[in-house]
Amino acid sequence: MTKVLVTGVAGFIGFHVAKTLLKKGEKVIGIDNLNAYYSVELKEARLNKLSVYPNFHFYKEDISSAEAIEKIWKKEGDIEKVVHLAAQAGVRYSLTDPYPYIASNLMGFTVILERCRHQPNFKHLVYASTSSIYGDNKLLPFTEDQQTDSPISLYAATKKANELMAQSYWHLYQFPITGLRLFTVYGPWGRPDMALFKFTKAILDNTPIDVYNNGDMARDYTYVDDIVNGILKALEKPSVPMKTNHHPIYNLGNKKRENLLDFIEVLEKALNKKAVKNFLPLQAGDILETFSDINKAESELGYSPLVPITEGIPKFVNWYHSYYKL
Ligand SMILES: NC(=O)c1ccc[n+]([C@@H]2O[C@H](COP(=O)([O-])OP(=O)(O)OC[C@H]3O[C@@H](n4cnc5c(N)ncnc54)[C@H](O)[C@@H]3O)[C@@H](O)[C@H]2O)c1
């Protein structure tokens, strides 16, 4: 049985990663501070699902506290694998309240890096970066070797900083680290601040949905099961420090660019209801299009996304109906 620490375990992706590991019979140590950025009830409901597994140990702690993390490490014994997902996510919120991005994404990540580097025989740290770091790059699809030095939101800046911090630890302390640039993840138990969740709620409530840049936007939407698969494939393949100059970084996307208006149409079909659209200009910090090149993850990790939005969106809608009893 492998022991894996999952940070941000009450979050959308952390919950799915933990559930998959527990189903496989692994031991999962989960950390989350259950902050109120979005519904704490939803985070607790995810935790309730995980708590049925005896191999799940949960700690309500903040990753930016080195002492708290140290205590957990001591209590649980040697932790040799970490999937680091705890972060202040969301592009738009970083324009309203920048401080949690600094506390969780910079200080929090430093605490995790420090703890991993002091662990003898540490096996692998896999951490989440984001497609947002490609900023206004015009060359699509995005490949990992493109420049990412011009973030257009503080959220993206903190994630770019994470990649640089990881690189310095890889160089200095030579333990396996892998970075994953995730492209708009969606699916059951998803995040209420993201488009699919907000649109679904608004359409069912008969309120208008905000459609930015008059709908002229595109995203590479990746179904959560595909992302979990990619994260776990990466975890199983520890990078070898100093074999290459840079720690490995992979795009995990669906290698498909979906127009926002087409995405809304698939959702309308799944809900069997038309949206009332409130067309608005582009929001500051937002990227116009994301589109992943995943050749590297396909060839080196065996990553292969399987779920198109025509399957994934109805799965989300089914979950939404059953969770909210609608
Ligand atoms: N969902 C996406 O589309 C997407 C895309 C790119 C990258 N990512 C990254 O993937 C990771 C997971 O994203 P998600 O969508 O599951 O977000 P989420 O907000 O649902 O999950 C993050 C979890 O981390 C917890 N957390 C935040 N700060 C913490 C702290 N200081 N200490 C302890 N716990 C803390 C939150 O309570 C939350 O439960 C994040 O790093 C995010 O930036 C997500």
Side-chain angles (χ1 to χ4, degrees), residues 78-129:
D78 295 342
I79 297 172
E80 295 174 343
K81 285 188 176 185
V82 175
V83 178
H84 176 59
L85 298 166
Q88 179 56 55
V91 167
R92 288 174 195 155
Y93 184 60
S94 68
L95 279 72
T96 317
D97 187 3
Y99 299 112
Y101 292 81
I102 304 305
S104 295
N105 303 7
L106 301 186
M107 185 60 187
F109 191 48
T110 308
V111 168
I112 297 298
L113 285 168
E114 266 299 287
R115 196 58 209 77
C116 293
R117 77 121 163 158
H118 282 110
Q119 170 64 43
N121 302 317
F122 185 73
K123 299 246 168 26
H124 202 182
L125 166 64
V126 173
Y127 70 93
S129 182

Short mmCIF file of all heavy atoms in Angstrom, two decimals, residues 78-129:
data_model
loop_
_atom_site.label_atom_id
_atom_site.label_comp_id
_atom_site.label_asym_id
_atom_site.label_seq_id
_atom_site.Cartn_x
_atom_site.Cartn_y
_atom_site.Cartn_z
N ASP A 78 6.70 8.48 7.71
CA ASP A 78 7.30 8.99 6.48
C ASP A 78 6.28 9.11 5.35
O ASP A 78 5.60 8.15 5.03
CB ASP A 78 8.43 8.06 6.02
CG ASP A 78 9.56 8.07 7.02
OD1 ASP A 78 9.60 9.02 7.83
OD2 ASP A 78 10.37 7.12 7.02
N ILE A 79 6.20 10.27 4.78
CA ILE A 79 5.35 10.47 3.60
C ILE A 79 6.29 10.66 2.41
O ILE A 79 7.13 11.56 2.42
CB ILE A 79 4.43 11.71 3.76
CG1 ILE A 79 3.47 11.49 4.94
CG2 ILE A 79 3.66 11.99 2.48
CD1 ILE A 79 2.65 12.72 5.33
N GLU A 80 6.15 9.80 1.43
CA GLU A 80 7.13 9.83 0.33
C GLU A 80 6.56 10.28 -1.00
O GLU A 80 7.29 10.47 -1.96
CB GLU A 80 7.79 8.45 0.19
CG GLU A 80 8.61 8.09 1.42
CD GLU A 80 9.17 6.69 1.39
OE1 GLU A 80 8.68 5.86 0.60
OE2 GLU A 80 10.09 6.42 2.18
N LYS A 81 5.20 10.41 -1.05
CA LYS A 81 4.58 10.88 -2.31
C LYS A 81 3.57 11.97 -1.98
O LYS A 81 2.75 11.80 -1.06
CB LYS A 81 3.87 9.75 -3.03
CG LYS A 81 4.82 8.78 -3.72
CD LYS A 81 4.04 7.80 -4.56
CE LYS A 81 5.01 6.91 -5.34
NZ LYS A 81 4.32 6.03 -6.25
N VAL A 82 3.60 13.04 -2.75
CA VAL A 82 2.68 14.15 -2.51
C VAL A 82 2.04 14.61 -3.82
O VAL A 82 2.73 14.80 -4.82
CB VAL A 82 3.43 15.36 -1.88
CG1 VAL A 82 2.50 16.57 -1.74
CG2 VAL A 82 4.03 14.99 -0.52
N VAL A 83 0.70 14.73 -3.79
CA VAL A 83 0.00 15.40 -4.90
C VAL A 83 -0.46 16.73 -4.33
O VAL A 83 -1.34 16.78 -3.46
CB VAL A 83 -1.22 14.57 -5.39
CG1 VAL A 83 -1.96 15.33 -6.50
CG2 VAL A 83 -0.78 13.21 -5.91
N HIS A 84 0.16 17.80 -4.81
CA HIS A 84 -0.10 19.11 -4.23
C HIS A 84 -1.11 19.89 -5.09
O HIS A 84 -0.79 20.36 -6.17
CB HIS A 84 1.21 19.89 -4.13
CG HIS A 84 1.00 21.28 -3.64
ND1 HIS A 84 0.41 21.56 -2.43
CD2 HIS A 84 1.27 22.49 -4.21
CE1 HIS A 84 0.33 22.88 -2.28
NE2 HIS A 84 0.84 23.46 -3.35
N LEU A 85 -2.33 20.01 -4.54
CA LEU A 85 -3.42 20.70 -5.27
C LEU A 85 -3.98 21.88 -4.50
O LEU A 85 -4.73 22.68 -5.06
CB LEU A 85 -4.54 19.69 -5.57
CG LEU A 85 -4.13 18.51 -6.46
CD1 LEU A 85 -5.20 17.41 -6.41
CD2 LEU A 85 -3.92 18.95 -7.90
N ALA A 86 -3.63 22.00 -3.21
CA ALA A 86 -4.17 23.13 -2.43
C ALA A 86 -3.64 24.43 -3.01
O ALA A 86 -2.44 24.57 -3.23
CB ALA A 86 -3.74 23.00 -0.97
N ALA A 87 -4.53 25.34 -3.27
CA ALA A 87 -4.13 26.64 -3.80
C ALA A 87 -5.34 27.55 -3.75
O ALA A 87 -6.48 27.08 -3.67
CB ALA A 87 -3.66 26.51 -5.25
N GLN A 88 -5.10 28.85 -3.82
CA GLN A 88 -6.20 29.76 -4.09
C GLN A 88 -6.33 29.80 -5.60
O GLN A 88 -5.43 30.27 -6.30
CB GLN A 88 -5.91 31.16 -3.52
CG GLN A 88 -7.02 32.14 -3.80
CD GLN A 88 -8.38 31.66 -3.29
OE1 GLN A 88 -8.54 31.34 -2.12
NE2 GLN A 88 -9.38 31.59 -4.17
N ALA A 89 -7.41 29.22 -6.09
CA ALA A 89 -7.63 29.15 -7.54
C ALA A 89 -8.53 30.31 -7.98
O ALA A 89 -9.03 31.07 -7.16
CB ALA A 89 -8.27 27.81 -7.88
N GLY A 90 -8.73 30.42 -9.30
CA GLY A 90 -9.64 31.43 -9.84
C GLY A 90 -8.88 32.65 -10.33
O GLY A 90 -8.13 33.27 -9.57
N VAL A 91 -9.07 32.98 -11.61
CA VAL A 91 -8.40 34.14 -12.20
C VAL A 91 -9.06 35.43 -11.71
O VAL A 91 -8.40 36.35 -11.24
CB VAL A 91 -8.46 34.06 -13.75
CG1 VAL A 91 -8.06 35.38 -14.38
CG2 VAL A 91 -7.57 32.93 -14.26
N ARG A 92 -10.38 35.48 -11.81
CA ARG A 92 -11.07 36.76 -11.56
C ARG A 92 -10.95 37.21 -10.11
O ARG A 92 -10.76 38.39 -9.83
CB ARG A 92 -12.55 36.64 -11.96
CG ARG A 92 -12.68 36.59 -13.47
CD ARG A 92 -14.06 36.33 -13.97
NE ARG A 92 -13.98 35.95 -15.38
CZ ARG A 92 -14.87 35.21 -16.00
NH1 ARG A 92 -15.93 34.76 -15.36
NH2 ARG A 92 -14.72 34.92 -17.28
N TYR A 93 -11.03 36.27 -9.17
CA TYR A 93 -10.96 36.61 -7.75
C TYR A 93 -9.59 37.21 -7.38
O TYR A 93 -9.47 37.99 -6.44
CB TYR A 93 -11.27 35.37 -6.92
CG TYR A 93 -11.34 35.60 -5.44
CD1 TYR A 93 -12.26 36.50 -4.89
CD2 TYR A 93 -10.48 34.93 -4.56
CE1 TYR A 93 -12.31 36.71 -3.52
CE2 TYR A 93 -10.53 35.13 -3.19
CZ TYR A 93 -11.44 36.03 -2.68
OH TYR A 93 -11.50 36.25 -1.33
N SER A 94 -8.57 36.88 -8.19
CA SER A 94 -7.23 37.41 -7.86
C SER A 94 -7.15 38.91 -8.11
O SER A 94 -6.23 39.58 -7.65
CB SER A 94 -6.12 36.65 -8.60
OG SER A 94 -6.15 36.89 -9.99
N LEU A 95 -8.14 39.45 -8.85
CA LEU A 95 -8.18 40.90 -9.04
C LEU A 95 -8.89 41.59 -7.87
O LEU A 95 -8.70 42.77 -7.62
CB LEU A 95 -8.93 41.24 -10.34
CG LEU A 95 -8.13 41.13 -11.65
CD1 LEU A 95 -7.85 39.70 -12.04
CD2 LEU A 95 -8.89 41.81 -12.78
N THR A 96 -9.70 40.81 -7.15
CA THR A 96 -10.47 41.37 -6.03
C THR A 96 -9.70 41.27 -4.73
O THR A 96 -9.65 42.19 -3.94
CB THR A 96 -11.79 40.56 -5.86
OG1 THR A 96 -12.34 40.33 -7.14
CG2 THR A 96 -12.78 41.24 -4.96
N ASP A 97 -9.14 40.08 -4.49
CA ASP A 97 -8.46 39.83 -3.22
C ASP A 97 -7.16 39.07 -3.49
O ASP A 97 -7.15 37.84 -3.55
CB ASP A 97 -9.40 39.01 -2.32
CG ASP A 97 -8.83 38.86 -0.92
OD1 ASP A 97 -7.76 39.44 -0.65
OD2 ASP A 97 -9.45 38.15 -0.10
N PRO A 98 -6.07 39.79 -3.64
CA PRO A 98 -4.81 39.12 -4.02
C PRO A 98 -4.15 38.33 -2.89
O PRO A 98 -3.37 37.41 -3.14
CB PRO A 98 -3.91 40.29 -4.44
CG PRO A 98 -4.47 41.50 -3.76
CD PRO A 98 -5.94 41.26 -3.62
N TYR A 99 -4.47 38.68 -1.62
CA TYR A 99 -3.66 38.13 -0.51
C TYR A 99 -3.71 36.61 -0.36
O TYR A 99 -2.68 35.99 -0.10
CB TYR A 99 -4.01 38.85 0.80
CG TYR A 99 -3.71 40.33 0.69
CD1 TYR A 99 -4.73 41.27 0.68
CD2 TYR A 99 -2.41 40.78 0.51
CE1 TYR A 99 -4.46 42.63 0.53
CE2 TYR A 99 -2.12 42.14 0.36
CZ TYR A 99 -3.16 43.05 0.37
OH TYR A 99 -2.89 44.38 0.21
N PRO A 100 -4.89 35.98 -0.49
CA PRO A 100 -4.88 34.51 -0.34
C PRO A 100 -4.01 33.81 -1.37
O PRO A 100 -3.52 32.70 -1.13
CB PRO A 100 -6.35 34.11 -0.52
CG PRO A 100 -7.14 35.34 -0.56
CD PRO A 100 -6.24 36.52 -0.70
N TYR A 101 -3.80 34.44 -2.52
CA TYR A 101 -2.96 33.84 -3.57
C TYR A 101 -1.50 33.80 -3.10
O TYR A 101 -0.78 32.84 -3.36
CB TYR A 101 -3.07 34.64 -4.89
CG TYR A 101 -4.45 34.48 -5.50
CD1 TYR A 101 -5.53 35.23 -5.04
CD2 TYR A 101 -4.69 33.53 -6.48
CE1 TYR A 101 -6.81 35.07 -5.56
CE2 TYR A 101 -5.96 33.35 -7.02
CZ TYR A 101 -7.01 34.13 -6.56
OH TYR A 101 -8.27 33.94 -7.07
N ILE A 102 -1.12 34.85 -2.38
CA ILE A 102 0.26 34.91 -1.88
C ILE A 102 0.41 33.90 -0.74
O ILE A 102 1.35 33.11 -0.70
CB ILE A 102 0.60 36.35 -1.42
CG1 ILE A 102 0.37 37.35 -2.56
CG2 ILE A 102 2.03 36.43 -0.89
CD1 ILE A 102 1.09 37.06 -3.86
N ALA A 103 -0.56 33.91 0.19
CA ALA A 103 -0.46 33.04 1.37
C ALA A 103 -0.47 31.55 0.98
O ALA A 103 0.40 30.78 1.38
CB ALA A 103 -1.61 33.34 2.33
N SER A 104 -1.44 31.16 0.16
CA SER A 104 -1.58 29.72 -0.14
C SER A 104 -0.63 29.28 -1.25
O SER A 104 -0.01 28.23 -1.15
CB SER A 104 -3.02 29.39 -0.55
OG SER A 104 -3.87 29.61 0.53
N ASN A 105 -0.53 30.08 -2.30
CA ASN A 105 0.21 29.60 -3.47
C ASN A 105 1.72 29.78 -3.33
O ASN A 105 2.49 28.98 -3.86
CB ASN A 105 -0.29 30.29 -4.74
CG ASN A 105 -1.79 30.10 -4.95
OD1 ASN A 105 -2.48 29.56 -4.09
ND2 ASN A 105 -2.31 30.53 -6.08
N LEU A 106 2.13 30.83 -2.61
CA LEU A 106 3.57 31.05 -2.47
C LEU A 106 4.09 30.49 -1.14
O LEU A 106 4.94 29.60 -1.13
CB LEU A 106 3.92 32.53 -2.63
CG LEU A 106 3.49 33.14 -3.99
CD1 LEU A 106 3.99 34.56 -4.12
CD2 LEU A 106 3.97 32.29 -5.17
N MET A 107 3.55 30.99 -0.03
CA MET A 107 4.00 30.47 1.26
C MET A 107 3.66 28.99 1.40
O MET A 107 4.49 28.18 1.80
CB MET A 107 3.36 31.30 2.40
CG MET A 107 3.87 30.90 3.77
SD MET A 107 5.66 31.16 3.89
CE MET A 107 5.98 30.43 5.47
N GLY A 108 2.41 28.65 1.04
CA GLY A 108 1.96 27.26 1.17
C GLY A 108 2.84 26.32 0.35
O GLY A 108 3.25 25.25 0.83
N PHE A 109 3.13 26.70 -0.85
CA PHE A 109 3.96 25.82 -1.70
C PHE A 109 5.38 25.70 -1.14
O PHE A 109 5.98 24.63 -1.19
CB PHE A 109 3.98 26.34 -3.14
CG PHE A 109 4.57 25.36 -4.13
CD1 PHE A 109 4.19 24.03 -4.16
CD2 PHE A 109 5.52 25.77 -5.07
CE1 PHE A 109 4.73 23.12 -5.08
CE2 PHE A 109 6.07 24.88 -5.99
CZ PHE A 109 5.67 23.55 -5.99
N THR A 110 5.89 26.81 -0.57
CA THR A 110 7.23 26.76 0.04
C THR A 110 7.26 25.73 1.18
O THR A 110 8.20 24.94 1.30
CB THR A 110 7.63 28.15 0.58
OG1 THR A 110 7.45 29.10 -0.45
CG2 THR A 110 9.06 28.18 1.07
N VAL A 111 6.20 25.74 1.99
CA VAL A 111 6.15 24.79 3.12
C VAL A 111 6.18 23.34 2.59
O VAL A 111 6.89 22.49 3.12
CB VAL A 111 4.88 25.05 3.98
CG1 VAL A 111 4.64 23.91 4.97
CG2 VAL A 111 5.00 26.38 4.71
N ILE A 112 5.41 23.10 1.54
CA ILE A 112 5.37 21.74 0.97
C ILE A 112 6.73 21.35 0.39
O ILE A 112 7.25 20.26 0.64
CB ILE A 112 4.24 21.62 -0.10
CG1 ILE A 112 2.86 21.85 0.53
CG2 ILE A 112 4.29 20.28 -0.85
CD1 ILE A 112 2.45 20.85 1.61
N LEU A 113 7.34 22.26 -0.36
CA LEU A 113 8.66 21.98 -0.93
C LEU A 113 9.68 21.68 0.17
O LEU A 113 10.46 20.72 0.09
CB LEU A 113 9.15 23.18 -1.75
CG LEU A 113 8.53 23.41 -3.11
CD1 LEU A 113 8.92 24.80 -3.66
CD2 LEU A 113 8.95 22.33 -4.12
N GLU A 114 9.67 22.52 1.21
CA GLU A 114 10.62 22.35 2.31
C GLU A 114 10.44 21.00 2.99
O GLU A 114 11.41 20.29 3.27
CB GLU A 114 10.41 23.46 3.35
CG GLU A 114 11.29 24.65 3.14
CD GLU A 114 12.77 24.30 3.25
OE1 GLU A 114 13.26 24.06 4.35
OE2 GLU A 114 13.45 24.26 2.20
N ARG A 115 9.17 20.64 3.23
CA ARG A 115 8.93 19.39 3.94
C ARG A 115 9.37 18.19 3.09
O ARG A 115 9.96 17.25 3.59
CB ARG A 115 7.44 19.28 4.35
CG ARG A 115 7.21 18.23 5.40
CD ARG A 115 8.05 18.55 6.63
NE ARG A 115 8.46 17.41 7.44
CZ ARG A 115 9.43 16.55 7.16
NH1 ARG A 115 10.10 16.60 6.05
NH2 ARG A 115 9.74 15.58 8.02
N CYS A 116 9.08 18.28 1.79
CA CYS A 116 9.48 17.17 0.91
C CYS A 116 10.99 17.03 0.86
O CYS A 116 11.53 15.92 0.87
CB CYS A 116 8.95 17.39 -0.52
SG CYS A 116 7.16 17.32 -0.64
N ARG A 117 11.68 18.15 0.82
CA ARG A 117 13.13 18.04 0.66
C ARG A 117 13.83 17.50 1.90
O ARG A 117 14.93 16.99 1.85
CB ARG A 117 13.72 19.37 0.20
CG ARG A 117 13.86 20.40 1.28
CD ARG A 117 15.31 20.80 1.39
NE ARG A 117 15.45 22.05 2.11
CZ ARG A 117 16.57 22.39 2.70
NH1 ARG A 117 17.62 21.60 2.64
NH2 ARG A 117 16.64 23.54 3.35
N HIS A 118 13.15 17.61 3.06
CA HIS A 118 13.74 17.07 4.28
C HIS A 118 13.37 15.60 4.52
O HIS A 118 13.83 15.00 5.48
CB HIS A 118 13.33 17.91 5.50
CG HIS A 118 14.12 19.18 5.59
ND1 HIS A 118 13.57 20.42 5.35
CD2 HIS A 118 15.43 19.39 5.85
CE1 HIS A 118 14.51 21.34 5.47
NE2 HIS A 118 15.65 20.74 5.77
N GLN A 119 12.54 15.05 3.67
CA GLN A 119 12.09 13.66 3.84
C GLN A 119 13.13 12.71 3.20
O GLN A 119 13.32 12.77 1.99
CB GLN A 119 10.73 13.46 3.18
CG GLN A 119 10.27 12.02 3.08
CD GLN A 119 10.06 11.39 4.44
OE1 GLN A 119 9.49 12.01 5.34
NE2 GLN A 119 10.55 10.17 4.61
N PRO A 120 13.77 11.87 4.01
CA PRO A 120 14.71 10.94 3.40
C PRO A 120 13.98 10.01 2.42
O PRO A 120 12.82 9.64 2.66
CB PRO A 120 15.25 10.12 4.58
CG PRO A 120 14.87 10.88 5.80
CD PRO A 120 13.67 11.71 5.47
N ASN A 121 14.61 9.66 1.36
CA ASN A 121 14.05 8.78 0.32
C ASN A 121 12.74 9.30 -0.26
O ASN A 121 11.86 8.51 -0.60
CB ASN A 121 13.78 7.36 0.86
CG ASN A 121 15.04 6.74 1.38
OD1 ASN A 121 16.09 6.86 0.74
ND2 ASN A 121 14.96 6.15 2.55
N PHE A 122 12.60 10.59 -0.32
CA PHE A 122 11.36 11.14 -0.86
C PHE A 122 11.20 10.70 -2.32
O PHE A 122 12.12 10.77 -3.11
CB PHE A 122 11.34 12.68 -0.76
CG PHE A 122 10.03 13.25 -1.20
CD1 PHE A 122 8.90 13.12 -0.39
CD2 PHE A 122 9.89 13.86 -2.44
CE1 PHE A 122 7.67 13.60 -0.80
CE2 PHE A 122 8.66 14.35 -2.86
CZ PHE A 122 7.54 14.22 -2.03
N LYS A 123 9.97 10.25 -2.67
CA LYS A 123 9.79 9.62 -3.98
C LYS A 123 9.29 10.57 -5.07
O LYS A 123 9.75 10.52 -6.20
CB LYS A 123 8.80 8.45 -3.87
CG LYS A 123 9.27 7.35 -2.93
CD LYS A 123 9.54 6.08 -3.69
CE LYS A 123 10.28 5.00 -2.94
NZ LYS A 123 10.20 4.95 -1.51
N HIS A 124 8.30 11.44 -4.75
CA HIS A 124 7.79 12.27 -5.84
C HIS A 124 6.81 13.34 -5.35
O HIS A 124 5.87 13.03 -4.62
CB HIS A 124 7.05 11.38 -6.86
CG HIS A 124 6.94 11.99 -8.23
ND1 HIS A 124 6.29 11.38 -9.26
CD2 HIS A 124 7.39 13.16 -8.74
CE1 HIS A 124 6.36 12.13 -10.34
NE2 HIS A 124 7.02 13.22 -10.05
N LEU A 125 7.02 14.56 -5.82
CA LEU A 125 6.06 15.65 -5.62
C LEU A 125 5.47 16.02 -6.97
O LEU A 125 6.21 16.41 -7.89
CB LEU A 125 6.77 16.87 -5.01
CG LEU A 125 5.99 18.20 -5.05
CD1 LEU A 125 4.71 18.14 -4.21
CD2 LEU A 125 6.88 19.36 -4.57
N VAL A 126 4.16 15.86 -7.09
CA VAL A 126 3.45 16.29 -8.31
C VAL A 126 2.60 17.50 -7.92
O VAL A 126 1.83 17.42 -6.95
CB VAL A 126 2.55 15.15 -8.85
CG1 VAL A 126 1.69 15.65 -10.01
CG2 VAL A 126 3.40 13.98 -9.30
N TYR A 127 2.74 18.60 -8.62
CA TYR A 127 1.98 19.80 -8.25
C TYR A 127 1.22 20.36 -9.45
O TYR A 127 1.59 20.15 -10.60
CB TYR A 127 2.91 20.88 -7.65
CG TYR A 127 3.83 21.50 -8.67
CD1 TYR A 127 3.48 22.68 -9.34
CD2 TYR A 127 5.04 20.91 -9.00
CE1 TYR A 127 4.32 23.24 -10.30
CE2 TYR A 127 5.88 21.47 -9.95
CZ TYR A 127 5.52 22.64 -10.59
OH TYR A 127 6.33 23.18 -11.55
N ALA A 128 0.14 21.10 -9.13
CA ALA A 128 -0.73 21.65 -10.19
C ALA A 128 -0.27 23.04 -10.59
O ALA A 128 -0.18 23.95 -9.76
CB ALA A 128 -2.17 21.72 -9.69
N SER A 129 0.00 23.20 -11.88
CA SER A 129 0.14 24.52 -12.47
C SER A 129 -1.10 24.72 -13.35
O SER A 129 -2.09 24.01 -13.17
CB SER A 129 1.44 24.60 -13.27
OG SER A 129 1.60 25.91 -13.81
#
